[in-house]
Amino acid sequence: PVCTARYFYRLGSPTNASKWIIYFEGGGWCYSNITCEERRARYPALVSLSSHPKVKTVRLFFNSGDPGTNPDFHDWTHVYLPYCDGSSYLGDREDPRHIFVAAYKRLMPFYFRGHRILQATMQHLLNAKGLGQAREVIFAGHSAGGMAVLLHVDRLRKLLPATTRVVALVDAALFIK
């Protein structure tokens, strides 16, 4: 399974296009052969983006474009980052890790390259979508996506102008085993 950089984007209104919400999807961690196999079996779409749709309707209240549902952020620029690397965008392996996948009865390569995915995505948003001109940015996420916000917000903040107001919204990001 290979993750590739992909995101869903909706430009804000002319008056609020420089205000952004960047949402990190959650989906568990993969930290051992067992947890990687469990995650793959339970959430196949989170292991490879090949099964993710090209267009996605995100049903989160603060991503809604409906002013009745989302009076504060409906006209902001929205970015939704699908999650598939299994490490909250920390992985940076050159070579895959081979993990036995029971469903296929064989070893399969897992590529942990979430850090590269996040870097490429942010560079594209900065260079092609205008994130570098943002006045306000909310980095938000739940579960493993919330952990990604917690782990990366300081580094992401440094990519933006000093005048940009940055907020981190972390939801359900602590895992207790």
Side-chain angles (χ1 to χ4, degrees):
V2 178
C3 290
T4 56
R6 181 182 297 177
Y7 62 85
F8 300 95
Y9 171 85
R10 186 180 78 229
L11 180 63
S13 71
T15 55
N16 280 329
S18 65
K19 296 178 179 181
W20 289 61
I21 294 179
I22 300 176
Y23 188 82
F24 291 74
E25 179 181 46
W29 265 34
C30 171
Y31 54 86
S32 70
N33 287 6
I34 292 171
T35 60
C36 289
E37 165 57 12
E38 288 173 348
R39 186 171 179 272
R40 190 222 48 88
R42 188 170 181 190
Y43 306 109
L46 293 179
V47 177
S48 171
L49 288 179
S50 62
S51 59
H52 268 67
K54 298 261 187 256
V55 177
K56 184 169 182 123
T57 301
V58 180
R59 303 211 188 285
L60 301 168
F61 76 91
F62 57 86
N63 279 354
S64 171
D66 176 12
T69 304
N70 183 11
D72 296 318
F73 307 113
H74 69 278
D75 59 349
W76 285 34
T77 297
H78 292 263
V79 176
Y80 184 89
L81 301 176
Y83 175 61
C84 74
D85 85 307
S87 69
S88 293
Y89 299 95
L90 290 172
D92 195 23
R93 291 183 64 97
E94 189 61 39
D95 299 317
R97 180 171 179 188
H98 289 84
I99 296 172
F100 182 77
V101 177
Y104 300 109
K105 298 180 181 151
R106 65 183 171 95
L107 289 173
M108 293 187 69
F110 280 66
Y111 297 83
F112 296 97
R113 296 183 178 157
H115 182 72
R116 297 175 190 191
I117 291 169
L118 183 57
Q119 282 183 310
T121 299
M122 293 306 295
Q123 284 307 312
H124 190 262
L125 292 172
L126 286 162
N127 298 330
K129 298 295 185 180
L131 178 58
Q133 288 76 48
R135 289 183 296 139
E136 295 184 49
V137 177
I138 297 173
F139 291 104
H142 74 279
S143 188
M147 182 61 77
V149 171
L150 190 65
L151 293 167
H152 298 288
V153 69
D154 291 334
R155 186 179 57 78
L156 296 174
R157 201 287 158 251
K158 291 177 185 175
L159 298 174
L160 300 167
T163 55
T164 303
R165 181 173 179 247
V166 173
V167 174
L169 175 64
V170 177
D171 180 28
L174 297 179
F175 315 136
I176 301 172
K177 277 258 180 190

